[in-house]
């Protein structure tokens, strides 16, 4: 009943910028946290950035100072602004949300379909 739809991926040159968007729709009472993960070829899926309902944020060391995560609670949307992109940022980026569909519900985890980000000259 909950769907996460990502957009904004693409091909950019090193040093360029991209903004990823993720909108959650369906039955949503409260989103505890939304975040972005990525998986590069030959590597484990890793957390890139996370933002909680209390607006606390967490970033991977490799992206600190370059990426910024933000959230619009009313629109159930999260963005990832990526600046100064490097070759090693190339990966499939996945949106993630931990949320309650109703006030009595348990916390469930949802994933987007993934969007490809390629940094290349």
């Amino acid at each position: 009943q909950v769907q996460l739809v990502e957009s904004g991926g693409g091909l950019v040159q090193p040093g360029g910028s991209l903004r990823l968007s993720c909108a959650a729709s369906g039955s949503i009472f409260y989103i505890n946290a939304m975040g972005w993960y990525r998986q590069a070829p030959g590597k484990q899926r890793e957390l890139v950035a996370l933002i909680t309902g209390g607006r606390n944020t967490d970033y991977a060391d490799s992206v600190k100072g370059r990426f910024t995560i933000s959230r619009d609670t009313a629109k159930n949307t999260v963005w990832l602004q990526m600046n100064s992109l490097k070759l090693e940022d190339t990966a499939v980026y996945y949106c993630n949300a931990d949320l309650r569909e109703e006030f009595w519900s348990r916390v469930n985890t949802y994933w987007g379909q993934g969007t490809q980000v390629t940094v290349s000259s």
Side-chain angles (χ1 to χ4, degrees):
Q1 289 187 317
V2 176
Q3 185 178 20
L4 273 54
V5 179
E6 301 134 319
S7 62
L11 173 65
V12 297
Q13 295 184 345
S17 298
L18 281 176
R19 181 191 295 167
L20 305 183
S21 299
C22 175
S25 61
S27 180
I28 301 172
F29 174 72
Y30 184 75
I31 299 178
N32 295 103
M34 296 187 74
W36 291 93
Y37 293 72
R38 69 185 181 188
Q39 187 165 20
K43 297 183 65 178
Q44 296 287 115
R45 185 175 297 188
E46 64 177 353
L47 174 69
V48 178
L50 181 72
I51 185 166
T52 69
R55 297 295 190 270
N56 294 318
T57 58
D58 190 23
Y59 296 92
D61 289 339
S62 59
V63 307
K64 287 181 179 177
R66 300 188 297 118
F67 291 9
T68 302
I69 188 169
S70 59
R71 176 182 175 183
D72 186 327
T73 302
K75 297 181 179 179
N76 296 323
T77 300
V78 65
W79 297 270
L80 184 67
Q81 179 67 46
M82 304 185 293
N83 298 324
S84 302
L85 284 162
K86 304 176 180 179
L87 296 179
E88 52 265 39
D89 294 319
T90 296
V92 177
Y93 284 70
Y94 297 90
C95 180
N96 168 269
D98 291 336
L99 58 86
R100 297 179 184 269
E101 290 90 350
E102 306 290 347
F103 70 89
W104 63 83
S105 300
R106 65 185 184 276
V107 176
N108 292 317
T109 299
Y110 293 89
W111 291 90
Q113 77 283 0
T115 184
Q116 177 71 47
V117 172
T118 302
V119 184
S120 176
S121 299

